[in-house]
Amino acid sequence: MIDWLILDREIKIWIQEAGERIRHSLQNKLQISTKSNPNDLVTNVDKDTEQFFIEKIRSTYPGHRILGEEGGGDEITDVRGVIWVIDPIDGTMNFVHMHRNFTISIGVFGDGVGQLGYIYDVIHDELYSAVKGKGALFNDQPIPRLEEVSIEKAIVGMNPIWLTNNRRIDPEYLRRLVKDIRGTRSFGSAALEMGYVACGWLDAYIAMHLSPWDFAAGWVIVEELGGKATKLNGEPLSLLEKSSLFVAKPGLHQVILDNYLQNYVEKN
Ligand code: IPD
Ligand code: CA
Ligand code: CA
Ligand code: CA
């Protein structure tokens, strides 16, 4: 039997240490390279931070497996056992351009069930965390359970790119959503935006193409608070595939699915 509360204490110490290293690294020139396209950035700090966690996990929990964005972990094709899902820096573009509004994001799953979630806003020193069944915290303060909100009062996080022509949805539906809600916000870190949903500062967050390391931590935290996290067609998320993401307060999730997303087609 795994004592998730012991892991919780340990992970929080590691996250503080990693955060300190990242803040310190901003005093030096970043080594920036690109991945799949010229806007897909990665730095030496993304890679070093992933390696920092991998070394901690391998030496403390050698039986656990790791799924990390920068590829230092394991090839994961099933969800058996304990899997750590790590995004060492979520919001690398913010990290490079703004030196703020990026997070460390870590979800820990046992046999496919989300048990622990951590989203650490490194510059603001703000940690969103949850232990399944034990509630969620913002720093040391319990986060209240999410309450219902009407569509007219909702603030929805989304990237404006999805209002342009795309293969997944007729943008007219999303433009109608944007008109019907109170406002939109775009922060450039999926994990941070899920933290904002957890705290009730955003009522929903929509993204069309994410990877498990972007949403693993937020998935655990938001669901612990009674929120919903699914794909944009309402289907369950998976640790084994890239997908869209739709997180929202209870009630609002169904209203948006039924009225604005019914023509959404999931595509890679
Ligand atoms: C990105 C951020 C961003 C989202 C991208 C992700 P990264 O993660 O979460 O908000 O729009 O799709 O890839 O690459 O900065 O870890
Ligand atoms: Ca990336
Ligand atoms: Ca990410
Ligand atoms: Ca990343």
Side-chain angles (χ1 to χ4, degrees):
M1 265 284 282
I2 296 163
D3 188 336
W4 297 107
L5 287 170
I6 292 182
L7 260 83
D8 175 61
R9 281 199 288 277
E10 197 144 43
I11 296 167
K12 284 178 170 165
I13 294 167
W14 296 349
I15 287 176
Q16 283 303 331
E17 195 181 334
E20 192 50 45
R21 288 163 61 113
I22 295 173
R23 285 188 291 268
H24 187 75
S25 73
L26 283 169
Q27 294 169 9
N28 304 318
K29 194 170 171 7
L30 295 172
Q31 293 159 34
I32 304 162
S33 37
T34 59
K35 301 209 283 187
S36 61
N37 65 63
N39 301 324
D40 184 4
L41 309 177
V42 64
T43 74
N44 55 313
V45 183
D46 297 63
K47 293 175 192 163
D48 290 352
T49 304
E50 181 169 293
Q51 211 45 50
F52 167 87
F53 284 108
I54 289 175
E55 279 164 24
K56 294 277 189 204
I57 297 161
R58 295 261 190 254
S59 60
T60 320
Y61 302 105
H64 294 187
R65 294 189 294 162
I66 302 165
L67 175 64
E69 178 179 9
E70 307 310 338
D74 301 294
E75 188 83 33
I76 304 282
T77 53
D78 67 82
V79 297
R80 271 177 297 123
V82 178
I83 300 180
W84 294 63
V85 189
I86 300 180
D87 193 338
I89 295 187
D90 182 63
T92 299
M93 199 186 285
N94 287 353
F95 177 62
V96 168
H97 284 255
M98 306 174 71
H99 291 190
R100 70 198 66 230
N101 298 337
F102 58 88
T103 60
I104 297 170
S105 175
I106 300 179
V108 188
F109 288 67
D111 291 325
V113 178
Q115 297 287 348
L116 305 170
Y118 306 86
I119 298 167
Y120 182 53
D121 179 336
V122 175
I123 298 302
H124 297 108
D125 188 22
E126 291 174 339
L127 178 67
Y128 309 77
S129 68
V131 178
K132 184 177 166 54
K134 307 266 183 243
L137 300 174
F138 175 66
N139 291 331
D140 295 330
Q141 294 300 312
I143 305 175
R145 282 183 72 78
L146 292 170
E147 290 180 1
E148 306 224 345
V149 64
S150 63
I151 193 91
E152 308 82 48
K153 290 193 179 147
I155 300 184
V156 177
M158 68 165 77
N159 186 328
I161 190 81
W162 302 119
L163 300 176
T164 64
N165 288 339
N166 68 81
R167 302 180 294 132
R168 298 179 173 90
I169 188 168
D170 175 351
E172 198 41 51
Y173 286 89
L174 290 182
R175 290 201 278 263
R176 198 159 55 79
L177 173 66
V178 168
K179 280 187 201 143
D180 289 353
I181 59 181
R182 179 165 276 174
T184 58
R185 295 290 183 273
S186 187
F187 295 97
S189 159
L192 186 62
E193 286 165 284
M194 292 183 86
Y196 290 173
V197 173
C199 284
W201 304 331
L202 285 177
D203 301 294
Y205 172 65
I206 288 175
M208 306 264 172
H209 192 51
L210 292 180
S211 298
W213 44 79
D214 299 311
F215 58 70
W219 183 9
V220 180
I221 300 170
V222 167
E223 293 219 321
E224 181 61 20
L225 292 163
K228 293 269 288 174
T230 65
K231 297 180 188 173
L232 275 164
N233 57 11
E235 287 178 4
L237 297 168
S238 164
L239 282 189
L240 303 177
E241 58 182 17
K242 293 177 189 282
S243 71
S244 61
L245 171 72
F246 175 38
V247 225
K249 286 183 169 162
L252 183 67
H253 189 272
Q254 197 61 46
V255 169
I256 294 180
L257 271 186
D258 290 347
N259 296 291
Y260 302 92
L261 298 174
Q262 67 273 56
N263 291 316
Y264 177 81
V265 182
E266 184 74 18
K267 286 189 177 146
N268 283 328

